[in-house]
Amino acid sequence: MTIAPAKLSDPAVRAFVAAVNSHDPEAFFALLTDDATMSDDGTDRDLADWTDREIFSSHGHMDVERESQGGRALTAGFRNDTWGEMRTAWRFTVTDDGRISRFETGQA
């Protein structure tokens, strides 16, 4: 059973998932702080390169299975044209103004 993106608790995370699933890099990057960072499986990555490769050019898609920590931690099925489908964990740091300053993902 998945949670529809519109039903996610945290507004920034809700918009993040919607931008990923609609393949909208402009909306995606508008959600992030100018100095946002990210990691994949515990290793910091270049955010622009990683998101292009893993999300936008490979048609990434998230099916959220559950949320915790007020909606700032997700378990989701993530699929793209490169790797197929895998179960992933996502954690978000959201600033007081509602933008994402960091996200961490990896296999769940």
Side-chain angles (χ1 to χ4, degrees), residues 1-23 31 60-67 70-72 74-77 79 92:
M1 180 129 169
T2 62
I3 302 170
K7 301 286 187 187
L8 294 171
S9 300
D10 186 274
V13 173
R14 182 183 323 129
F16 179 99
V17 174
V20 168
N21 289 352
S22 64
H23 307 111
L31 298 166
H61 188 88
M62 298 173 71
D63 290 315
V64 178
E65 298 170 8
R66 68 174 186 203
E67 63 176 355
R72 293 188 178 173
L74 305 177
T75 302
R79 67 181 180 274
F92 299 88

Side-chain angles (χ1 to χ4, degrees), residues 5-98:
K7 301 286 187 187
L8 294 171
S9 300
D10 186 274
V13 173
R14 182 183 323 129
F16 179 99
V17 174
V20 168
N21 289 352
S22 64
H23 307 111
D24 187 345
E26 188 172 307
F28 179 90
F29 285 106
L31 298 166
L32 305 179
T33 61
D34 293 339
D35 60 350
T37 61
M38 61 86 53
S39 71
D40 183 8
D41 284 328
T43 301
D44 277 14
R45 307 287 183 177
D46 178 276
L47 189 140
D49 176 65
W50 188 91
T51 54
D52 178 61
R53 189 177 66 252
E54 300 291 337
I55 296 174
F56 297 113
S57 67
S58 62
H59 307 102
H61 188 88
M62 298 173 71
D63 290 315
V64 178
E65 298 170 8
R66 68 174 186 203
E67 63 176 355
S68 59
Q69 298 177 7
R72 293 188 178 173
L74 305 177
T75 302
F78 181 80
R79 67 181 180 274
N80 67 24
D81 293 346
T82 304
W83 303 107
E85 185 156 351
M86 64 192 82
R87 195 160 189 254
T88 56
W90 299 76
R91 287 173 300 290
F92 299 88
T93 303
V94 180
T95 61
D96 290 341
D97 68 353

